[in-house]
Amino acid sequence: MCFFIQTTIFMFAIIQRKIKKWLEPKLILDITPLKEQIHLGTAYGGYTLPTKLLHENAVYYAVGAGEDISLDIEIANQYNPHIFIFDPTPRAKAHFDTLKENTHKGIKTPLYKNYTYPTNLKTFQKIHFEFLGLWNERTNMKFFVPANETHVSHSLLNMQSTEKYIEVQVDTLDNMMKERNHQTIDMLKMDIEGAENEVIIDCAEELKKVKNLFIEYHAYQNQIQKLGEIL
């Protein structure tokens, strides 16, 4: 009798799981592949985008630049939109300034062995570099140096557990938009080394004004993952 009861309970548990699986809602996505696409930028720093994503009156925010702004440069050449690059890293600013200065001097600037920035005098007409970071409040923060100091990507959250840092100014997406009189953003690219967790949650309302959002999500070992909250 004991064996019969245990077997019955076991079978009932299996049936329960199967019924639950049958009844649970199925996520069905009607995805249509884009027929018209264009790849802009290097293999490392570039993106594949819809060909009609931007236009000359569009506003593009590139948050986090580093030392590869090939995507931003090629977007400028392809669409001539209003481009605002935000990065509080001194090396990122120096990289941008060197490229702009070389362009005005007629000097080509190589980035990698197989890539040279395709700049001309018109490229920089509508590009603005802002020495500013994105966060969930307006303040000054510690910006931690990467473990490998030959790399350029610093982190507000010290994702690599280093001790060296610089002090930088940060602000919210809401303030950034208001101070530049932008009601909407046509494209927002965010590569902010782990700070996207806090920023995305904070600027949920402002993201309703963003037409196209591109996020590079950073996950580190032994760090709490918040991708589910962002989605």
Side-chain angles (χ1 to χ4, degrees):
M1 178 64 70
C2 181
F3 173 76
F4 174 75
I5 293 173
Q6 288 179 344
T7 303
T8 302
I9 292 173
F10 177 71
M11 291 300 295
F12 180 70
I14 292 176
I15 294 171
Q16 260 190 328
R17 287 198 296 270
K18 286 185 176 295
I19 292 175
K20 185 178 180 180
K21 187 173 183 62
W22 290 334
L23 294 178
E24 67 184 9
K26 301 295 190 295
L27 179 62
I28 301 175
L29 298 177
D30 184 15
I31 300 176
T32 303
L34 291 172
K35 294 182 179 180
E36 298 181 5
Q37 302 177 29
I38 184 171
H39 184 87
L40 300 176
T42 63
Y44 173 77
Y47 282 36
T48 298
L49 307 171
T51 54
K52 298 179 181 179
L53 182 70
L54 298 172
H55 49 83
E56 64 177 8
N57 294 317
V59 174
Y60 164 43
Y61 279 21
V63 185
E67 293 176 323
D68 182 342
I69 55 173
S70 56
L71 172 64
D72 314 318
I73 293 300
E74 293 194 26
I75 282 179
N77 291 340
Q78 182 74 20
Y79 302 104
N80 193 32
H82 301 279
I83 299 176
F84 295 81
I85 301 175
F86 300 91
D87 196 315
T89 313
R91 278 175 54 183
K93 181 66 164 61
H95 183 79
F96 176 86
D97 289 343
T98 298
L99 176 58
K100 187 174 181 179
E101 182 179 350
N102 284 350
T103 300
H104 283 285
K105 291 180 178 179
I107 301 172
K108 293 294 183 181
T109 305
L111 181 59
Y112 304 119
K113 289 183 179 179
N114 61 344
Y115 186 89
T116 296
Y117 277 116
T119 56
N120 54 63
L121 293 179
K122 186 180 177 181
T123 302
F124 290 92
Q125 286 182 352
K126 294 163 69 175
I127 300 182
H128 313 271
F129 191 104
E130 308 275 354
F131 203 49
L132 182 67
L134 179 60
W135 187 236
N136 58 15
E137 63 175 324
R138 173 178 289 175
T139 185
N140 291 320
M141 291 185 69
K142 294 178 180 178
F143 206 30
F144 289 90
V145 174
N148 184 340
E149 294 190 23
T150 64
H151 296 169
V152 68
S153 300
H154 291 50
S155 171
L156 291 173
L157 298 182
N158 199 12
M159 300 296 286
Q160 298 183 35
S161 302
T162 56
E163 296 182 358
K164 294 179 66 176
Y165 63 86
I166 58 176
E167 291 274 349
V168 299
Q169 183 181 356
V170 294
D171 208 343
T172 65
L173 182 62
D174 183 43
N175 286 337
M176 288 177 173
M177 292 179 67
K178 286 179 179 176
E179 292 177 3
R180 292 159 186 81
N181 296 316
H182 293 148
Q183 303 301 315
T184 60
I185 299 174
D186 294 274
M187 176 177 173
L188 170 60
K189 184 204 74 173
M190 194 181 300
D191 183 4
I192 51 179
E193 304 300 318
E196 61 272 8
N197 290 319
E198 281 71 16
V199 168
I200 289 296
I201 294 171
D202 172 73
C203 67
E205 283 301 311
E206 284 67 48
L207 290 181
K208 296 176 182 177
K209 304 171 186 175
V210 176
K211 296 179 182 178
N212 298 280
L213 176 63
F214 298 80
I215 303 176
E216 295 203 16
Y217 183 79
H218 298 80
Y220 291 86
Q221 190 174 5
N222 300 322
Q223 298 280 351
I224 297 175
Q225 304 303 313
K226 297 183 179 179
L227 183 58
E229 295 180 36
I230 291 177
L231 296 176

